[in-house]
Amino acid sequence: RKSARQASAKLKFCRLAFGASGSAGASIDTGDAETVARDFIEDERTRLIWNGARQFMPKNRVKLLLNLLLVAQGSVPRGGTIDLTILGEGDSATFRIAANGPIAKVPQKVMNFVSGNPVDEDGKPIAVDAHGIQPFYAGLLARSCGLTVDAATNPDGVLITAR
């Protein structure tokens, strides 16, 4: 029963985060996004705090939000708290995600993919592989929404912003 619930949660999350989610110009209810994100992310080690008024938002912004939650989840491999704040509404909404937990860190390679600049420390291009495609896709979504994504690791954890 637990495995079936987990599989269903993953499928619903992936449909919303990666699927077409309606026609061009469609909007998605952030309440629905919150529900699928909670079902997918929360477990005995990880807690999601969702701050933001329920609203309809352009589908690519919601898809970006969910993809950034995946980056945040990956930054706390041993679990912790992911605190999401949605600022603004609709086309002007921005996101702030604080991920706190033991050994919280966003690898530089992930941020290079999100920024659309996949290069290594020597400036050589990094091929987008199976591990890099999701952050690369998040970067494509951010640019399609006219947003820039930044991430910083600090002593308290990781802070990811999309403005």
Side-chain angles (χ1 to χ4, degrees):
R1 212 176 266 176
K2 182 180 177 183
S3 294
R5 257 193 325 271
Q6 289 173 333
S8 176
K10 287 179 183 180
L11 180 59
K12 288 176 185 177
F13 184 91
C14 289
R15 280 182 178 159
L16 201 54
F18 304 114
S21 301
S23 61
S27 293
I28 298 173
D29 183 348
T30 58
D32 294 338
E34 178 183 3
T35 299
V36 299
R38 280 191 190 286
D39 291 346
F40 179 74
I41 291 173
E42 287 188 327
D43 59 21
E44 57 277 350
R45 297 180 311 145
T46 307
R47 189 171 71 121
L48 175 63
I49 300 168
W50 188 285
N51 302 297
R54 187 172 187 158
Q55 59 180 295
F56 282 93
M57 194 179 294
K59 73 174 181 177
N60 278 353
R61 281 196 190 255
V62 174
K63 291 167 74 168
L64 171 62
L65 171 61
L66 295 175
N67 275 271
L68 292 179
L69 284 174
L70 282 176
V71 172
Q73 183 184 33
S75 74
V76 287
R78 293 188 181 163
T81 303
I82 300 172
D83 188 341
L84 160 73
T85 303
I86 300 172
L87 304 165
E89 295 182 8
D91 289 338
S92 64
T94 60
F95 313 118
R96 180 184 181 280
I97 303 169
N100 302 300
I103 65 167
K105 181 180 179 185
V106 175
Q108 186 58 47
K109 181 178 176 180
V110 170
M111 284 316 302
N112 289 351
F113 283 126
V114 171
S115 71
N117 187 27
V119 295
D120 64 15
E121 301 83 32
D122 299 325
K124 295 179 183 170
I126 302 171
V128 180
D129 59 8
H131 297 286
I133 193 64
Q134 187 276 320
F136 184 76
Y137 179 65
L140 290 174
L141 287 168
R143 288 184 292 286
S144 78
C145 295
L147 298 172
T148 301
V149 177
D150 294 304
T153 301
N154 57 52
D156 296 328
V158 172
L159 179 63
I160 302 169
T161 57
R163 301 183 195 130

